[in-house]
Amino acid sequence: MVDRRALLAALAGLPLAPALAPDARAAEPGVMRIGYQKNGILVVAKQQGLIEKRLEPLGQTVRWTEFSFGPPLLEALSLDGIDFGQTGDAPPIFAQAARSNLVYAAAQEAGGSGLGILLPKGSGIRTLADLKGKRVAFAKASSAHNLTIAALEKAGLTYADIEPVTLAPADAAAAFARGSIDAWTIWDPYFAIAEAGEGVRVLALATNIALQNNFFLASRPFAESRGAALAATIDALAEVAAWCTQNRGAVADLLSQGTGVPLAATRRAVDRTDYVIGPMTDRVIAAQQRVADRFHALKLIPKPIRIADAVWTAPARNG
């Protein structure tokens, strides 16, 4: 069994954030409300204050709200609790299927590289095919949900061949530590913390299974009424991404300071992250459509959706 005390001590700095923080409920003119998680470009941007600098000439300020993972963040977006945020590939699919009025503003291709399937100490699992009949934990409607299904497909298994255990990251970490699940599909920084546990093994990385894209999303009303602010934010994030690529050591320091995640784990996460932000190209849209079709085929979303219907077009710029 994994050293439960050591793992939970490391995860102690990762409390389960509320689905929607009280101060993020009311929209205010001139305030852009951004939801973020404990990893990635948005955390660096928050630490650097670059979005605030870009929005100041537009008369805009920023309010930040932390979330534990993508689905609660997009629930807040749907309920007008925030205006903008970043998630992995699956959350916006489930949100769009639930008629959330969101748009894809930009993509971080291969941004989900820090995602994989972990095994506890003493596990007899050696291949993806060995997951048959096992209890596999992941967060429902998250990128880990999609990766689990893709991994099963690669092994010639179906979703019905495993016992899915849907748990939020903090709950899954506790289950993994006490040995009550056989495998855990999870993303950074939880992944980076847990993989350092005694005897923990990585069964598979996302990079060896399927491309995992991340997305920057906005509420449609915000995108339509404040497109200039959204475009300025994406520009600022592209600048942050370019800086991250050239300054990985400093990125790890900023992320660790901003999230409370141990520096060693943060460095592992940073080293395998591809910091590139780009538009929603035909290739990105097609890849996301395949993910949506996968969830619909398994009846995990009630009806087919069309990703292209939710892609934002930036306003024309002068010059």
PDB file of all heavy atoms in Angstrom, residues 156-189:
ATOM      1  N   GLY A 156      -8.117  -2.429 -26.364  1.00  0.00           N
ATOM      2  CA  GLY A 156      -9.145  -3.329 -26.886  1.00  0.00           C
ATOM      3  C   GLY A 156     -10.232  -3.632 -25.881  1.00  0.00           C
ATOM      4  O   GLY A 156     -10.963  -4.619 -26.022  1.00  0.00           O
ATOM      5  N   LEU A 157     -10.356  -2.790 -24.864  1.00  0.00           N
ATOM      6  CA  LEU A 157     -11.391  -2.962 -23.847  1.00  0.00           C
ATOM      7  C   LEU A 157     -12.508  -1.941 -24.067  1.00  0.00           C
ATOM      8  O   LEU A 157     -12.354  -0.993 -24.835  1.00  0.00           O
ATOM      9  CB  LEU A 157     -10.796  -2.784 -22.445  1.00  0.00           C
ATOM     10  CG  LEU A 157      -9.672  -3.720 -22.032  1.00  0.00           C
ATOM     11  CD1 LEU A 157      -9.142  -3.327 -20.654  1.00  0.00           C
ATOM     12  CD2 LEU A 157     -10.131  -5.169 -22.034  1.00  0.00           C
ATOM     13  N   THR A 158     -13.586  -2.125 -23.357  1.00  0.00           N
ATOM     14  CA  THR A 158     -14.683  -1.165 -23.390  1.00  0.00           C
ATOM     15  C   THR A 158     -14.866  -0.565 -22.014  1.00  0.00           C
ATOM     16  O   THR A 158     -14.318  -1.063 -21.016  1.00  0.00           O
ATOM     17  CB  THR A 158     -16.002  -1.833 -23.826  1.00  0.00           C
ATOM     18  OG1 THR A 158     -16.446  -2.712 -22.769  1.00  0.00           O
ATOM     19  CG2 THR A 158     -15.827  -2.626 -25.111  1.00  0.00           C
ATOM     20  N   TYR A 159     -15.657   0.485 -21.970  1.00  0.00           N
ATOM     21  CA  TYR A 159     -15.950   1.146 -20.701  1.00  0.00           C
ATOM     22  C   TYR A 159     -16.623   0.180 -19.726  1.00  0.00           C
ATOM     23  O   TYR A 159     -16.447   0.280 -18.508  1.00  0.00           O
ATOM     24  CB  TYR A 159     -16.850   2.350 -20.983  1.00  0.00           C
ATOM     25  CG  TYR A 159     -16.971   3.354 -19.872  1.00  0.00           C
ATOM     26  CD1 TYR A 159     -15.846   3.940 -19.288  1.00  0.00           C
ATOM     27  CD2 TYR A 159     -18.229   3.765 -19.422  1.00  0.00           C
ATOM     28  CE1 TYR A 159     -15.974   4.883 -18.281  1.00  0.00           C
ATOM     29  CE2 TYR A 159     -18.365   4.718 -18.418  1.00  0.00           C
ATOM     30  CZ  TYR A 159     -17.236   5.269 -17.849  1.00  0.00           C
ATOM     31  OH  TYR A 159     -17.354   6.211 -16.854  1.00  0.00           O
ATOM     32  N   ALA A 160     -17.362  -0.766 -20.263  1.00  0.00           N
ATOM     33  CA  ALA A 160     -18.053  -1.746 -19.418  1.00  0.00           C
ATOM     34  C   ALA A 160     -17.102  -2.766 -18.813  1.00  0.00           C
ATOM     35  O   ALA A 160     -17.488  -3.530 -17.913  1.00  0.00           O
ATOM     36  CB  ALA A 160     -19.130  -2.466 -20.222  1.00  0.00           C
ATOM     37  N   ASP A 161     -15.848  -2.798 -19.280  1.00  0.00           N
ATOM     38  CA  ASP A 161     -14.879  -3.781 -18.789  1.00  0.00           C
ATOM     39  C   ASP A 161     -14.232  -3.391 -17.467  1.00  0.00           C
ATOM     40  O   ASP A 161     -13.508  -4.195 -16.868  1.00  0.00           O
ATOM     41  CB  ASP A 161     -13.781  -4.015 -19.835  1.00  0.00           C
ATOM     42  CG  ASP A 161     -14.263  -4.847 -21.009  1.00  0.00           C
ATOM     43  OD1 ASP A 161     -15.058  -5.777 -20.781  1.00  0.00           O
ATOM     44  OD2 ASP A 161     -13.840  -4.569 -22.144  1.00  0.00           O
ATOM     45  N   ILE A 162     -14.443  -2.143 -17.030  1.00  0.00           N
ATOM     46  CA  ILE A 162     -13.876  -1.717 -15.745  1.00  0.00           C
ATOM     47  C   ILE A 162     -15.007  -1.339 -14.796  1.00  0.00           C
ATOM     48  O   ILE A 162     -16.164  -1.223 -15.195  1.00  0.00           O
ATOM     49  CB  ILE A 162     -12.930  -0.513 -15.906  1.00  0.00           C
ATOM     50  CG1 ILE A 162     -13.705   0.723 -16.398  1.00  0.00           C
ATOM     51  CG2 ILE A 162     -11.767  -0.854 -16.816  1.00  0.00           C
ATOM     52  CD1 ILE A 162     -12.945   2.031 -16.265  1.00  0.00           C
ATOM     53  N   GLU A 163     -14.640  -1.121 -13.539  1.00  0.00           N
ATOM     54  CA  GLU A 163     -15.580  -0.574 -12.574  1.00  0.00           C
ATOM     55  C   GLU A 163     -15.209   0.889 -12.367  1.00  0.00           C
ATOM     56  O   GLU A 163     -14.263   1.198 -11.635  1.00  0.00           O
ATOM     57  CB  GLU A 163     -15.504  -1.329 -11.250  1.00  0.00           C
ATOM     58  CG  GLU A 163     -16.529  -0.850 -10.236  1.00  0.00           C
ATOM     59  CD  GLU A 163     -16.485  -1.616  -8.937  1.00  0.00           C
ATOM     60  OE1 GLU A 163     -15.853  -2.701  -8.902  1.00  0.00           O
ATOM     61  OE2 GLU A 163     -17.071  -1.132  -7.954  1.00  0.00           O
ATOM     62  N   PRO A 164     -15.904   1.811 -13.023  1.00  0.00           N
ATOM     63  CA  PRO A 164     -15.557   3.225 -12.883  1.00  0.00           C
ATOM     64  C   PRO A 164     -15.858   3.714 -11.462  1.00  0.00           C
ATOM     65  O   PRO A 164     -16.907   3.406 -10.900  1.00  0.00           O
ATOM     66  CB  PRO A 164     -16.469   3.925 -13.896  1.00  0.00           C
ATOM     67  CG  PRO A 164     -16.990   2.844 -14.791  1.00  0.00           C
ATOM     68  CD  PRO A 164     -17.031   1.613 -13.950  1.00  0.00           C
ATOM     69  N   VAL A 165     -14.924   4.463 -10.913  1.00  0.00           N
ATOM     70  CA  VAL A 165     -15.118   5.068  -9.592  1.00  0.00           C
ATOM     71  C   VAL A 165     -14.929   6.569  -9.784  1.00  0.00           C
ATOM     72  O   VAL A 165     -13.809   7.044  -9.943  1.00  0.00           O
ATOM     73  CB  VAL A 165     -14.109   4.527  -8.566  1.00  0.00           C
ATOM     74  CG1 VAL A 165     -14.351   5.164  -7.195  1.00  0.00           C
ATOM     75  CG2 VAL A 165     -14.185   3.006  -8.477  1.00  0.00           C
ATOM     76  N   THR A 166     -16.024   7.308  -9.816  1.00  0.00           N
ATOM     77  CA  THR A 166     -15.932   8.732 -10.092  1.00  0.00           C
ATOM     78  C   THR A 166     -15.757   9.511  -8.792  1.00  0.00           C
ATOM     79  O   THR A 166     -16.638   9.524  -7.932  1.00  0.00           O
ATOM     80  CB  THR A 166     -17.175   9.227 -10.854  1.00  0.00           C
ATOM     81  OG1 THR A 166     -18.359   8.883 -10.135  1.00  0.00           O
ATOM     82  CG2 THR A 166     -17.243   8.571 -12.228  1.00  0.00           C
ATOM     83  N   LEU A 167     -14.595  10.129  -8.675  1.00  0.00           N
ATOM     84  CA  LEU A 167     -14.239  10.869  -7.466  1.00  0.00           C
ATOM     85  C   LEU A 167     -13.536  12.169  -7.839  1.00  0.00           C
ATOM     86  O   LEU A 167     -12.750  12.208  -8.799  1.00  0.00           O
ATOM     87  CB  LEU A 167     -13.284  10.046  -6.590  1.00  0.00           C
ATOM     88  CG  LEU A 167     -13.817   8.754  -5.977  1.00  0.00           C
ATOM     89  CD1 LEU A 167     -12.670   7.960  -5.362  1.00  0.00           C
ATOM     90  CD2 LEU A 167     -14.885   9.062  -4.928  1.00  0.00           C
ATOM     91  N   ALA A 168     -13.803  13.219  -7.091  1.00  0.00           N
ATOM     92  CA  ALA A 168     -13.044  14.460  -7.231  1.00  0.00           C
ATOM     93  C   ALA A 168     -11.598  14.193  -6.829  1.00  0.00           C
ATOM     94  O   ALA A 168     -11.307  13.232  -6.095  1.00  0.00           O
ATOM     95  CB  ALA A 168     -13.660  15.551  -6.360  1.00  0.00           C
ATOM     96  N   PRO A 169     -10.649  15.011  -7.296  1.00  0.00           N
ATOM     97  CA  PRO A 169      -9.223  14.731  -7.058  1.00  0.00           C
ATOM     98  C   PRO A 169      -8.840  14.463  -5.603  1.00  0.00           C
ATOM     99  O   PRO A 169      -8.133  13.490  -5.317  1.00  0.00           O
ATOM    100  CB  PRO A 169      -8.533  15.975  -7.605  1.00  0.00           C
ATOM    101  CG  PRO A 169      -9.441  16.451  -8.674  1.00  0.00           C
ATOM    102  CD  PRO A 169     -10.829  16.188  -8.170  1.00  0.00           C
ATOM    103  N   ALA A 170      -9.293  15.298  -4.686  1.00  0.00           N
ATOM    104  CA  ALA A 170      -8.892  15.096  -3.292  1.00  0.00           C
ATOM    105  C   ALA A 170      -9.438  13.791  -2.732  1.00  0.00           C
ATOM    106  O   ALA A 170      -8.748  13.081  -1.985  1.00  0.00           O
ATOM    107  CB  ALA A 170      -9.364  16.278  -2.447  1.00  0.00           C
ATOM    108  N   ASP A 171     -10.671  13.452  -3.103  1.00  0.00           N
ATOM    109  CA  ASP A 171     -11.261  12.197  -2.636  1.00  0.00           C
ATOM    110  C   ASP A 171     -10.564  10.997  -3.267  1.00  0.00           C
ATOM    111  O   ASP A 171     -10.350   9.962  -2.616  1.00  0.00           O
ATOM    112  CB  ASP A 171     -12.753  12.162  -2.956  1.00  0.00           C
ATOM    113  CG  ASP A 171     -13.535  13.222  -2.206  1.00  0.00           C
ATOM    114  OD1 ASP A 171     -13.137  13.552  -1.071  1.00  0.00           O
ATOM    115  OD2 ASP A 171     -14.530  13.733  -2.756  1.00  0.00           O
ATOM    116  N   ALA A 172     -10.213  11.119  -4.548  1.00  0.00           N
ATOM    117  CA  ALA A 172      -9.507  10.029  -5.228  1.00  0.00           C
ATOM    118  C   ALA A 172      -8.116   9.838  -4.636  1.00  0.00           C
ATOM    119  O   ALA A 172      -7.639   8.706  -4.505  1.00  0.00           O
ATOM    120  CB  ALA A 172      -9.410  10.327  -6.721  1.00  0.00           C
ATOM    121  N   ALA A 173      -7.472  10.934  -4.256  1.00  0.00           N
ATOM    122  CA  ALA A 173      -6.148  10.833  -3.633  1.00  0.00           C
ATOM    123  C   ALA A 173      -6.225  10.029  -2.344  1.00  0.00           C
ATOM    124  O   ALA A 173      -5.363   9.178  -2.070  1.00  0.00           O
ATOM    125  CB  ALA A 173      -5.584  12.228  -3.362  1.00  0.00           C
ATOM    126  N   ALA A 174      -7.258  10.286  -1.552  1.00  0.00           N
ATOM    127  CA  ALA A 174      -7.427   9.545  -0.295  1.00  0.00           C
ATOM    128  C   ALA A 174      -7.708   8.069  -0.572  1.00  0.00           C
ATOM    129  O   ALA A 174      -7.157   7.180   0.100  1.00  0.00           O
ATOM    130  CB  ALA A 174      -8.560  10.152   0.520  1.00  0.00           C
ATOM    131  N   ALA A 175      -8.547   7.794  -1.581  1.00  0.00           N
ATOM    132  CA  ALA A 175      -8.853   6.403  -1.933  1.00  0.00           C
ATOM    133  C   ALA A 175      -7.614   5.685  -2.441  1.00  0.00           C
ATOM    134  O   ALA A 175      -7.374   4.511  -2.121  1.00  0.00           O
ATOM    135  CB  ALA A 175      -9.964   6.371  -2.989  1.00  0.00           C
ATOM    136  N   PHE A 176      -6.818   6.370  -3.218  1.00  0.00           N
ATOM    137  CA  PHE A 176      -5.584   5.793  -3.749  1.00  0.00           C
ATOM    138  C   PHE A 176      -4.614   5.491  -2.611  1.00  0.00           C
ATOM    139  O   PHE A 176      -3.984   4.431  -2.572  1.00  0.00           O
ATOM    140  CB  PHE A 176      -4.959   6.780  -4.740  1.00  0.00           C
ATOM    141  CG  PHE A 176      -3.757   6.262  -5.484  1.00  0.00           C
ATOM    142  CD1 PHE A 176      -3.896   5.373  -6.539  1.00  0.00           C
ATOM    143  CD2 PHE A 176      -2.471   6.684  -5.147  1.00  0.00           C
ATOM    144  CE1 PHE A 176      -2.784   4.915  -7.238  1.00  0.00           C
ATOM    145  CE2 PHE A 176      -1.361   6.234  -5.838  1.00  0.00           C
ATOM    146  CZ  PHE A 176      -1.519   5.333  -6.893  1.00  0.00           C
ATOM    147  N   ALA A 177      -4.518   6.427  -1.672  1.00  0.00           N
ATOM    148  CA  ALA A 177      -3.582   6.256  -0.558  1.00  0.00           C
ATOM    149  C   ALA A 177      -3.957   5.086   0.338  1.00  0.00           C
ATOM    150  O   ALA A 177      -3.076   4.399   0.867  1.00  0.00           O
ATOM    151  CB  ALA A 177      -3.519   7.548   0.259  1.00  0.00           C
ATOM    152  N   ARG A 178      -5.241   4.826   0.500  1.00  0.00           N
ATOM    153  CA  ARG A 178      -5.634   3.718   1.380  1.00  0.00           C
ATOM    154  C   ARG A 178      -5.807   2.405   0.616  1.00  0.00           C
ATOM    155  O   ARG A 178      -6.181   1.386   1.202  1.00  0.00           O
ATOM    156  CB  ARG A 178      -6.913   4.068   2.136  1.00  0.00           C
ATOM    157  CG  ARG A 178      -8.157   4.263   1.311  1.00  0.00           C
ATOM    158  CD  ARG A 178      -9.387   4.518   2.200  1.00  0.00           C
ATOM    159  NE  ARG A 178     -10.556   4.802   1.407  1.00  0.00           N
ATOM    160  CZ  ARG A 178     -11.025   6.011   1.143  1.00  0.00           C
ATOM    161  NH1 ARG A 178     -10.390   7.067   1.644  1.00  0.00           N
ATOM    162  NH2 ARG A 178     -12.089   6.187   0.401  1.00  0.00           N
ATOM    163  N   GLY A 179      -5.547   2.425  -0.683  1.00  0.00           N
ATOM    164  CA  GLY A 179      -5.571   1.202  -1.469  1.00  0.00           C
ATOM    165  C   GLY A 179      -6.943   0.684  -1.828  1.00  0.00           C
ATOM    166  O   GLY A 179      -7.107  -0.499  -2.111  1.00  0.00           O
ATOM    167  N   SER A 180      -7.953   1.562  -1.868  1.00  0.00           N
ATOM    168  CA  SER A 180      -9.309   1.101  -2.156  1.00  0.00           C
ATOM    169  C   SER A 180      -9.677   1.201  -3.634  1.00  0.00           C
ATOM    170  O   SER A 180     -10.805   0.876  -4.012  1.00  0.00           O
ATOM    171  CB  SER A 180     -10.328   1.880  -1.321  1.00  0.00           C
ATOM    172  OG  SER A 180     -10.276   3.260  -1.608  1.00  0.00           O
ATOM    173  N   ILE A 181      -8.738   1.655  -4.457  1.00  0.00           N
ATOM    174  CA  ILE A 181      -8.921   1.643  -5.907  1.00  0.00           C
ATOM    175  C   ILE A 181      -7.692   0.988  -6.527  1.00  0.00           C
ATOM    176  O   ILE A 181      -6.609   0.952  -5.933  1.00  0.00           O
ATOM    177  CB  ILE A 181      -9.134   3.057  -6.477  1.00  0.00           C
ATOM    178  CG1 ILE A 181      -7.993   3.999  -6.052  1.00  0.00           C
ATOM    179  CG2 ILE A 181     -10.486   3.601  -6.080  1.00  0.00           C
ATOM    180  CD1 ILE A 181      -8.093   5.394  -6.648  1.00  0.00           C
ATOM    181  N   ASP A 182      -7.872   0.439  -7.725  1.00  0.00           N
ATOM    182  CA  ASP A 182      -6.779  -0.280  -8.382  1.00  0.00           C
ATOM    183  C   ASP A 182      -5.933   0.613  -9.272  1.00  0.00           C
ATOM    184  O   ASP A 182      -4.771   0.315  -9.551  1.00  0.00           O
ATOM    185  CB  ASP A 182      -7.344  -1.427  -9.231  1.00  0.00           C
ATOM    186  CG  ASP A 182      -8.117  -2.428  -8.402  1.00  0.00           C
ATOM    187  OD1 ASP A 182      -7.529  -2.979  -7.447  1.00  0.00           O
ATOM    188  OD2 ASP A 182      -9.310  -2.651  -8.698  1.00  0.00           O
ATOM    189  N   ALA A 183      -6.517   1.698  -9.762  1.00  0.00           N
ATOM    190  CA  ALA A 183      -5.792   2.630 -10.631  1.00  0.00           C
ATOM    191  C   ALA A 183      -6.455   3.992 -10.529  1.00  0.00           C
ATOM    192  O   ALA A 183      -7.640   4.105 -10.179  1.00  0.00           O
ATOM    193  CB  ALA A 183      -5.801   2.141 -12.075  1.00  0.00           C
ATOM    194  N   TRP A 184      -5.690   5.013 -10.831  1.00  0.00           N
ATOM    195  CA  TRP A 184      -6.187   6.383 -10.705  1.00  0.00           C
ATOM    196  C   TRP A 184      -5.726   7.181 -11.917  1.00  0.00           C
ATOM    197  O   TRP A 184      -4.528   7.315 -12.164  1.00  0.00           O
ATOM    198  CB  TRP A 184      -5.653   6.993  -9.414  1.00  0.00           C
ATOM    199  CG  TRP A 184      -6.079   8.407  -9.128  1.00  0.00           C
ATOM    200  CD1 TRP A 184      -7.171   9.061  -9.611  1.00  0.00           C
ATOM    201  CD2 TRP A 184      -5.413   9.337  -8.258  1.00  0.00           C
ATOM    202  NE1 TRP A 184      -7.241  10.338  -9.109  1.00  0.00           N
ATOM    203  CE2 TRP A 184      -6.177  10.524  -8.277  1.00  0.00           C
ATOM    204  CE3 TRP A 184      -4.265   9.270  -7.473  1.00  0.00           C
ATOM    205  CZ2 TRP A 184      -5.806  11.647  -7.530  1.00  0.00           C
ATOM    206  CZ3 TRP A 184      -3.901  10.379  -6.730  1.00  0.00           C
ATOM    207  CH2 TRP A 184      -4.664  11.554  -6.752  1.00  0.00           C
ATOM    208  N   THR A 185      -6.682   7.697 -12.678  1.00  0.00           N
ATOM    209  CA  THR A 185      -6.361   8.574 -13.798  1.00  0.00           C
ATOM    210  C   THR A 185      -6.478  10.009 -13.312  1.00  0.00           C
ATOM    211  O   THR A 185      -7.531  10.436 -12.844  1.00  0.00           O
ATOM    212  CB  THR A 185      -7.328   8.345 -14.981  1.00  0.00           C
ATOM    213  OG1 THR A 185      -7.401   6.952 -15.266  1.00  0.00           O
ATOM    214  CG2 THR A 185      -6.837   9.089 -16.215  1.00  0.00           C
ATOM    215  N   ILE A 186      -5.383  10.767 -13.434  1.00  0.00           N
ATOM    216  CA  ILE A 186      -5.344  12.080 -12.800  1.00  0.00           C
ATOM    217  C   ILE A 186      -4.352  12.982 -13.533  1.00  0.00           C
ATOM    218  O   ILE A 186      -3.467  12.506 -14.243  1.00  0.00           O
ATOM    219  CB  ILE A 186      -4.979  11.950 -11.298  1.00  0.00           C
ATOM    220  CG1 ILE A 186      -5.129  13.281 -10.556  1.00  0.00           C
ATOM    221  CG2 ILE A 186      -3.587  11.343 -11.135  1.00  0.00           C
ATOM    222  CD1 ILE A 186      -6.514  13.879 -10.574  1.00  0.00           C
ATOM    223  N   TRP A 187      -4.506  14.264 -13.347  1.00  0.00           N
ATOM    224  CA  TRP A 187      -3.672  15.266 -14.010  1.00  0.00           C
ATOM    225  C   TRP A 187      -2.789  15.977 -12.983  1.00  0.00           C
ATOM    226  O   TRP A 187      -2.972  15.855 -11.774  1.00  0.00           O
ATOM    227  CB  TRP A 187      -4.577  16.282 -14.731  1.00  0.00           C
ATOM    228  CG  TRP A 187      -5.552  16.963 -13.825  1.00  0.00           C
ATOM    229  CD1 TRP A 187      -5.353  18.095 -13.077  1.00  0.00           C
ATOM    230  CD2 TRP A 187      -6.886  16.532 -13.517  1.00  0.00           C
ATOM    231  NE1 TRP A 187      -6.467  18.400 -12.339  1.00  0.00           N
ATOM    232  CE2 TRP A 187      -7.440  17.468 -12.591  1.00  0.00           C
ATOM    233  CE3 TRP A 187      -7.679  15.461 -13.938  1.00  0.00           C
ATOM    234  CZ2 TRP A 187      -8.725  17.351 -12.087  1.00  0.00           C
ATOM    235  CZ3 TRP A 187      -8.969  15.347 -13.427  1.00  0.00           C
ATOM    236  CH2 TRP A 187      -9.478  16.284 -12.519  1.00  0.00           C
ATOM    237  N   ASP A 188      -1.849  16.760 -13.507  1.00  0.00           N
ATOM    238  CA  ASP A 188      -0.987  17.578 -12.646  1.00  0.00           C
ATOM    239  C   ASP A 188      -1.788  18.731 -12.036  1.00  0.00           C
ATOM    240  O   ASP A 188      -2.722  19.234 -12.656  1.00  0.00           O
ATOM    241  CB  ASP A 188       0.164  18.165 -13.467  1.00  0.00           C
ATOM    242  CG  ASP A 188       1.277  17.156 -13.721  1.00  0.00           C
ATOM    243  OD1 ASP A 188       1.501  16.309 -12.856  1.00  0.00           O
ATOM    244  OD2 ASP A 188       1.924  17.241 -14.786  1.00  0.00           O
ATOM    245  N   PRO A 189      -1.422  19.153 -10.807  1.00  0.00           N
ATOM    246  CA  PRO A 189      -0.280  18.723 -10.015  1.00  0.00           C
ATOM    247  C   PRO A 189      -0.538  17.498  -9.139  1.00  0.00           C
ATOM    248  O   PRO A 189       0.387  16.977  -8.532  1.00  0.00           O
ATOM    249  CB  PRO A 189      -0.002  19.933  -9.128  1.00  0.00           C
ATOM    250  CG  PRO A 189      -1.368  20.498  -8.875  1.00  0.00           C
ATOM    251  CD  PRO A 189      -2.117  20.312 -10.175  1.00  0.00           C
TER     252      PRO A 189
END
